[in-house]
Amino acid sequence: MAEDLIPEDNLLIADSGEVEVRPDDRVDDERHDEENRLKPSFISAVHDALEAGDKGAVYDLVEPLHAADVADLIELLERSERTQLAAAISDLMTSDVIAELNDYVREDLMEALPAQAVATIAEQLDTDDAVQLIEDLDEADQRAIIAELEPETRAAVSSALSYPEETAGRLMSRDFVAVPEHMTVGDLIDFLREEGDLEHDFFEVFIIDERHHPVGTCALNWILTTPRGVRLTDLMKRDQTLIPVTMDQEEVALMFQKYALISAAVVDESGRLVGQMTVDDVVHIISEEAGEDALLMSGAGDGDINEPIREAYTARVRWLVANLGTAVVASSIIALFGAAIEQLVALAVLMPIVASIGGNAGTQTMAVAVRAIATNQLTRANTRRILWREFRVALLNGGTIAALIGLAAGVLFTPMMGVVIALAMIINIAVAGLAGVLVPVIFERLDQDPAVASSVFVTMITDSMGFFAFLGLAVAAGLAPL
Amino acid sequence: MAEDLIPEDNLLIADSGEVEVRPDDRVDDERHDEENRLKPSFISAVHDALEAGDKGAVYDLVEPLHAADVADLIELLERSERTQLAAAISDLMTSDVIAELNDYVREDLMEALPAQAVATIAEQLDTDDAVQLIEDLDEADQRAIIAELEPETRAAVSSALSYPEETAGRLMSRDFVAVPEHMTVGDLIDFLREEGDLEHDFFEVFIIDERHHPVGTCALNWILTTPRGVRLTDLMKRDQTLIPVTMDQEEVALMFQKYALISAAVVDESGRLVGQMTVDDVVHIISEEAGEDALLMSGAGDGDINEPIREAYTARVRWLVANLGTAVVASSIIALFGAAIEQLVALAVLMPIVASIGGNAGTQTMAVAVRAIATNQLTRANTRRILWREFRVALLNGGTIAALIGLAAGVLFTPMMGVVIALAMIINIAVAGLAGVLVPVIFERLDQDPAVASSVFVTMITDSMGFFAFLGLAVAAGLAPL
């Protein structure tokens, strides 16, 4: 409806004259690079001003920034500088800035502030942001801050905190518009002009029955394009996607994606409307959930560069120790063939190749399977088909690699060595293909996050199988004694 | 504003009586499992009905499904069954279903249909979805279909296709509401009631000057909460985030995330308003872009389980061949120490452990760095700090692992062997930490996607360093001759 929605009589055709592009005024300025990141030069300017203790200069530098950029700036500064900056620009530390901050950085900043100050900040935040601000702090701090809150905010925050972390109850906004069934478009508009405020965004109006259950929803653009007289119940969409207050945030995110939602009603156990979730709150969850698999598969835990070193260490060393265990299993298989290696050092030279490529092939398949499981594309309904698919891909890959390494080894060592390593390679890549699908699928059926532990097992399987198949075949082929 | 926005006089307090929860009626039914995925039992019911050729039964099964679920169903069926199903439920194959389909599956289906049929489908789609439908098909098919389109649609689709793939120009919707500066809230509402339709969603109204440049934007909830007399120019937000029509979809996605946008105006080179992007179009990009890094790092390419096997093979084998090369480099280092291994087979048994753990540590750091780069958290401004951070984490990890393996090897072999492997382990994990950050950062500065090639190089570095440090130290320590 583009053009025709611009009243012809009011529309002048643009003269294609000299008009320089002014896209987002936050892009291509002296503070941002072409990818809309703050320039290092700008960061160091702030850094220098802080060093010089020139609060005025700091303020002038930061003042023009969008809240999201102020948050980025704080994250980019040294830990020690962050509190200095916060002090220098205290009145620029708006709720938007706080909401945009990285969790670790926010927690860090808040712990530096007295409860009273945190409470004052929490007051100006939407409930969901206030909760986010408080939930990471330890019990004592939480209680101290909540005590400082206005009764109304305190009630909202406490009720939010009463839901488990990462559920809709924590994330939902308690600011929404709900009206009774008898209202007309006109009633609603008059009512909104009366009662509404510009502060809280909403994208749909929920129509509720006398039991406070949502019966339907009206997108705002429907209301604006409909005559005053029409009853909301005649306009509304009855088939809504309702979010149970206890639903996990990952499922909420998948719901928003699957049904392309902008906002959705959150209902409690008895079906009453208790809040709404809007897509802008869900977007960062979607990106987190989608991005975390790469980190989990690598065993990097949260993998946030702002995570305290001690936490990063404990998160990662666990998996390295686990990997140490699996590596020992693999090398114990090598030990079985000590005599063979002693006789034919070439085996020791070649065996890591078989193991390494197998590991790689396994990781490829595993990454695909984990992603497909996370996006609900790989379910019980098609597991067998996907397994067969990945097996065929593995045979193609295995054949190709086997041919290459087989020829090379056949020439550089002996023809039989070429045959042995080629066979071992095909076997290991085929096994890798199967393990890459089965391991994550099995973890998923055991209600474990497939991204978390799969790679340790897949690597153990491909390493062990690589050494065993290669050294075993070498002995069987009479290249070396057992 | 929750409660107080529900007119008190109309609001009855809900009796907390026996009310069973009816969250989303698409959840917990006989067709969906608890995670809102279609049940295998349902899939096989459809499968059987198709086998029996009972179109009526198929239709009855599918009819109650939401479009997004119909799309899921098609994806979950065997390739051969998909066209059968499409035929059986032709009038349920709405634009929403097409839009929700996986790219590969959609392309597959479309290629099975005659140009005329595809054109008919494209007609009912929004431009951006129609483009998505057509852009994957080959030149000839594209031209055939575009020829069949209504002039207006054809113009829109052609203009969209004139922009490079994965840019705002391809993704934007050409259906938006733009009005001149002189309008008041009342004028706008009257105008929308006149001209508007319920089909196309919009969440803000763009105010444009006579050159058709956007000068500001009004969220619909502001309009609904404001008296008729107010001029839009007094209500509108002037500070907008404008998307250049040529901007890459990944940057668009980051913009929407960073500034929590619901929709944004798209402007051409001369700054004229040419379209809008809405968050529901961006959400799947955000999730794709965030999810693809895990696949790219593993060398699995697109990593879509619906990707044709041949494409999956060519995408993956490339990296396996590259990995073959790096594995050969590593094993050539082993070859240097052939004599040592001949003398002391224990070296062959232990060396893979050093390499494998180093590889793991490198992958952890790399995953963190790649994610941080993708989310603009790791920039030139803080690279040095992050490098130092990861180095310290690596030393902690290295110390821990070295102690464990050092003790074990010291007991099982000789004390000196314990010292050698412990030192080698610390060195390799420290190197892994540095390589894990530096390799992706360097690729990023060379304008290469850090997720794509980093792991091959990191693994080569950690494998080679693992073998070299361990075998080298062993020789230096006099455990074995060179």
Side-chain angles (χ1 to χ4, degrees):
Chain A
M1 59 198 180
E3 299 308 312
D4 52 286
L5 252 185
I6 301 162
E8 290 311 329
D9 46 308
N10 303 317
L11 175 64
L12 308 182
I13 301 308
D15 47 27
S16 54
E18 297 321 299
V19 193
E20 95 292 28
V21 201
R22 288 187 295 72
D24 177 2
D25 56 7
R26 288 186 218 99
V27 181
D28 303 327
D29 55 26
E30 73 287 351
R31 291 178 295 274
H32 292 82
D33 64 15
E34 68 294 335
E35 279 178 31
N36 196 27
R37 297 172 302 202
L38 292 169
K39 286 184 183 159
S41 55
F42 175 75
I43 305 292
S44 45
V46 175
H47 171 85
D48 299 343
L50 283 171
E51 287 241 307
D54 182 348
K55 289 195 173 191
V58 175
Y59 192 95
D60 297 342
L61 280 165
V62 179
E63 198 278 332
L65 291 181
H66 181 284
D69 287 311
V70 178
D72 286 355
L73 170 62
I74 294 172
E75 292 171 18
L76 286 171
L77 288 171
E78 303 279 342
R79 194 147 167 267
S80 58
E81 297 173 316
R82 290 171 185 164
T83 36
Q84 293 179 48
L85 178 70
I89 61 164
S90 48
D91 68 312
L92 296 179
M93 292 291 289
T94 61
S95 57
D96 294 342
V97 175
I98 304 291
E100 288 287 336
L101 270 182
N102 170 283
D103 292 359
Y104 292 106
V105 177
R106 189 196 306 112
E107 192 178 344
D108 208 43
L109 266 181
M110 290 309 127
E111 276 163 356
L113 296 172
Q116 175 53 55
V118 180
T120 327
I121 298 173
E123 281 298 342
Q124 23 158 336
L125 295 174
D126 292 340
T127 313
D128 52 333
D129 293 329
V131 170
Q132 218 191 2
L133 179 70
I134 296 171
E135 67 183 355
D136 303 328
L137 304 174
D138 55 49
E139 279 295 332
D141 294 355
Q142 283 193 19
R143 251 181 273 98
I145 293 161
I146 292 174
E148 297 285 348
L149 293 172
E150 303 292 329
E152 205 188 311
T153 325
R154 189 188 307 147
V157 170
S158 314
S159 100
L161 288 173
S162 70
Y163 295 107
E165 267 194 65
E166 307 208 324
T167 59
R170 285 279 180 108
L171 298 160
M172 70 186 182
S173 153
R174 280 152 182 75
D175 304 305
F176 56 86
V177 180
V179 296
E181 295 168 278
H182 64 69
M183 270 198 174
T184 65
V185 168
D187 301 337
L188 174 64
I189 293 179
D190 298 339
F191 167 66
L192 286 174
R193 288 194 183 132
E194 275 292 301
E195 302 283 335
D197 60 45
L198 294 179
E199 258 177 59
H200 299 98
D201 289 343
F202 58 98
F203 310 104
E204 61 184 329
V205 170
F206 303 109
I207 292 83
I208 53 173
D209 63 19
E210 67 290 336
R211 289 182 319 171
H212 219 300
H213 291 191
V215 293
T217 168
C218 284
L220 298 190
N221 60 306
W222 302 350
I223 293 162
L224 280 168
T225 46
T226 307
R228 284 183 67 91
V230 177
R231 288 174 60 98
L232 295 178
T233 42
D234 300 329
L235 181 63
M236 71 186 183
K237 179 156 124 302
R238 290 179 185 281
D239 167 28
Q240 322 171 62
T241 303
L242 302 180
I243 310 281
V245 73
T246 53
M247 182 181 262
D248 179 81
Q249 66 173 21
E250 183 162 11
E251 262 181 88
V252 174
L254 282 172
M255 282 265 196
F256 268 76
Q257 268 181 279
K258 181 171 183 179
Y259 301 120
L261 305 174
I262 300 300
S263 64
V266 181
V267 291
D268 66 13
E269 296 65 19
S270 64
R272 294 181 84 237
L273 177 64
V274 291
Q276 76 171 352
M277 298 219 35
T278 51
V279 68
D280 49 316
D281 300 321
V282 175
V283 157
H284 77 273
I285 299 171
I286 291 175
S287 131
E288 271 174 32
E289 298 284 352
E292 74 179 6
D293 282 357
L295 300 161
L296 292 173
M297 279 190 269
S298 75
D302 252 12
D304 187 317
I305 56 172
N306 298 295
E307 191 179 19
I309 286 188
R310 194 170 277 88
E311 289 179 35
Y313 161 67
T314 48
R316 296 191 206 173
V317 78
R318 269 208 311 278
W319 293 109
L320 293 179
V321 171
N323 181 244
L324 182 57
T326 61
V328 167
V329 172
S331 69
S332 66
I333 288 176
I334 301 175
L336 298 176
F337 297 90
I341 294 170
E342 212 157 9
Q343 282 295 312
L344 188 59
V345 174
L347 298 177
V349 174
L350 293 175
M351 66 185 184
I353 299 178
V354 182
S356 153
I357 311 269
N360 235 271
T363 312
Q364 288 181 338
T365 312
M366 180 185 68
V368 174
V370 167
R371 183 73 186 137
I373 290 171
T375 52
N376 282 346
Q377 289 189 81
L378 173 52
T379 75
R380 284 170 183 276
N382 62 345
T383 303
R384 204 181 281 101
R385 192 174 86 235
I386 302 304
L387 196 59
W388 171 229
R389 171 186 190 275
E390 288 299 321
F391 185 67
R392 282 178 296 166
V393 176
L395 289 184
L396 289 170
N397 285 332
T400 311
I401 301 297
L404 290 171
I405 188 71
L407 280 171
V411 172
L412 294 170
F413 299 88
T414 66
M416 183 51 90
M417 179 65 89
V419 174
V420 166
I421 195 167
L423 281 176
M425 196 66 89
I426 290 185
I427 294 170
N428 201 25
I429 292 180
V431 168
L434 297 175
V437 177
L438 285 176
V439 170
V441 164
I442 289 166
F443 274 114
E444 207 266 335
R445 301 217 174 155
L446 300 174
D447 282 320
Q448 302 302 311
D449 183 339
V452 173
S454 293
S455 58
V456 172
F457 285 85
V458 172
T459 320
M460 177 176 71
I461 293 169
T462 53
D463 279 355
S464 310
M465 181 50 73
F467 295 134
F468 182 76
F470 177 61
L471 297 173
L473 284 169
V475 169
L479 288 176
L482 189 59
Chain B
M1 58 197 181
E3 299 309 312
D4 53 284
L5 252 184
I6 300 163
E8 289 314 327
D9 46 309
N10 304 317
L11 176 63
L12 310 180
I13 301 308
D15 48 24
S16 54
E18 297 320 300
V19 193
E20 95 294 25
V21 200
R22 288 187 295 73
D24 178 1
D25 55 8
R26 289 186 217 96
V27 181
D28 302 329
D29 55 26
E30 74 286 351
R31 291 178 296 272
H32 291 81
D33 65 15
E34 67 296 335
E35 278 178 33
N36 196 27
R37 295 171 303 203
L38 291 168
K39 286 184 183 158
S41 55
F42 175 75
I43 305 291
S44 45
V46 175
H47 172 85
D48 299 341
L50 283 172
E51 286 242 306
D54 182 348
K55 290 195 173 192
V58 175
Y59 193 94
D60 297 341
L61 280 165
V62 179
E63 197 278 332
L65 291 180
H66 181 285
D69 287 311
V70 179
D72 286 354
L73 170 63
I74 294 173
E75 291 171 19
L76 286 171
L77 288 171
E78 303 279 342
R79 193 149 167 267
S80 58
E81 298 173 314
R82 290 172 185 161
T83 35
Q84 293 178 48
L85 178 69
I89 60 164
S90 46
D91 67 311
L92 296 179
M93 292 291 290
T94 62
S95 57
D96 294 342
V97 175
I98 304 292
E100 288 287 336
L101 271 181
N102 170 282
D103 292 359
Y104 291 106
V105 177
R106 189 194 308 113
E107 191 178 345
D108 209 41
L109 265 180
M110 291 309 127
E111 277 164 355
L113 296 173
Q116 175 54 51
V118 180
T120 326
I121 297 171
E123 281 297 342
Q124 24 159 335
L125 295 173
D126 293 340
T127 313
D128 53 332
D129 294 327
V131 169
Q132 220 191 2
L133 179 71
I134 296 172
E135 68 183 356
D136 303 327
L137 304 174
D138 55 49
E139 279 294 333
D141 295 355
Q142 283 192 19
R143 252 181 273 100
I145 292 160
I146 291 172
E148 298 284 348
L149 293 172
E150 304 291 328
E152 204 187 312
T153 326
R154 190 188 307 147
V157 170
S158 314
S159 99
L161 288 172
S162 70
Y163 295 106
E165 268 193 65
E166 308 208 323
T167 59
R170 285 277 180 111
L171 299 160
M172 70 186 181
S173 153
R174 280 153 184 74
D175 304 305
F176 56 86
V177 180
V179 296
E181 295 168 277
H182 63 70
M183 272 198 172
T184 65
V185 168
D187 301 336
L188 174 64
I189 293 179
D190 298 339
F191 167 66
L192 286 174
R193 288 192 183 136
E194 276 290 302
E195 302 282 336
D197 60 44
L198 295 180
E199 258 176 58
H200 298 98
D201 290 342
F202 57 98
F203 311 103
E204 61 184 327
V205 170
F206 303 109
I207 291 82
I208 53 172
D209 63 19
E210 67 291 336
R211 289 182 318 172
H212 218 298
H213 291 191
V215 293
T217 168
C218 285
L220 298 190
N221 60 306
W222 301 350
I223 294 163
L224 279 168
T225 47
T226 306
R228 285 184 66 92
V230 177
R231 287 175 60 98
L232 295 177
T233 42
D234 300 329
L235 181 62
M236 70 185 184
K237 181 157 124 302
R238 290 178 185 281
D239 168 28
Q240 320 171 63
T241 302
L242 301 180
I243 309 280
V245 73
T246 53
M247 183 180 260
D248 179 81
Q249 66 172 22
E250 183 163 13
E251 262 182 86
V252 174
L254 283 172
M255 282 265 196
F256 267 75
Q257 269 181 279
K258 181 171 182 179
Y259 300 121
L261 304 174
I262 300 301
S263 64
V266 181
V267 291
D268 65 14
E269 297 66 18
S270 64
R272 294 182 83 235
L273 177 64
V274 291
Q276 76 171 351
M277 297 218 38
T278 50
V279 68
D280 50 317
D281 299 321
V282 175
V283 157
H284 76 273
I285 298 171
I286 292 175
S287 127
E288 271 173 33
E289 297 284 350
E292 72 180 7
D293 282 357
L295 300 161
L296 292 173
M297 278 189 269
S298 75
D302 252 13
D304 188 317
I305 57 171
N306 297 297
E307 190 179 19
I309 286 188
R310 194 170 278 89
E311 289 179 37
Y313 162 66
T314 48
R316 296 191 206 173
V317 79
R318 269 207 312 278
W319 292 108
L320 293 180
V321 171
N323 181 243
L324 182 57
T326 60
V328 168
V329 171
S331 69
S332 65
I333 288 176
I334 301 174
L336 298 176
F337 296 91
I341 292 169
E342 213 157 7
Q343 283 293 312
L344 187 59
V345 173
L347 297 178
V349 174
L350 293 176
M351 66 186 184
I353 299 179
V354 182
S356 152
I357 310 270
N360 235 272
T363 312
Q364 288 181 338
T365 312
M366 181 185 68
V368 173
V370 166
R371 184 72 187 138
I373 291 171
T375 52
N376 282 345
Q377 289 188 81
L378 173 52
T379 74
R380 283 171 184 275
N382 62 345
T383 303
R384 205 181 279 102
R385 190 173 87 234
I386 302 305
L387 196 59
W388 171 229
R389 171 186 189 275
E390 288 300 321
F391 185 67
R392 282 179 295 166
V393 176
L395 289 184
L396 288 171
N397 285 331
T400 312
I401 301 297
L404 290 171
I405 187 73
L407 280 170
V411 172
L412 292 170
F413 299 88
T414 66
M416 183 51 89
M417 180 66 88
V419 175
V420 166
I421 196 167
L423 280 177
M425 196 65 92
I426 290 186
I427 294 171
N428 201 25
I429 292 180
V431 169
L434 297 176
V437 177
L438 284 177
V439 171
V441 164
I442 289 167
F443 274 114
E444 206 267 337
R445 300 221 173 152
L446 300 174
D447 282 322
Q448 302 301 311
D449 183 339
V452 173
S454 293
S455 60
V456 172
F457 285 84
V458 171
T459 321
M460 179 176 70
I461 293 169
T462 52
D463 279 355
S464 310
M465 180 50 74
F467 295 134
F468 181 77
F470 176 61
L471 298 172
L473 285 168
V475 170
L479 288 176
L482 188 57

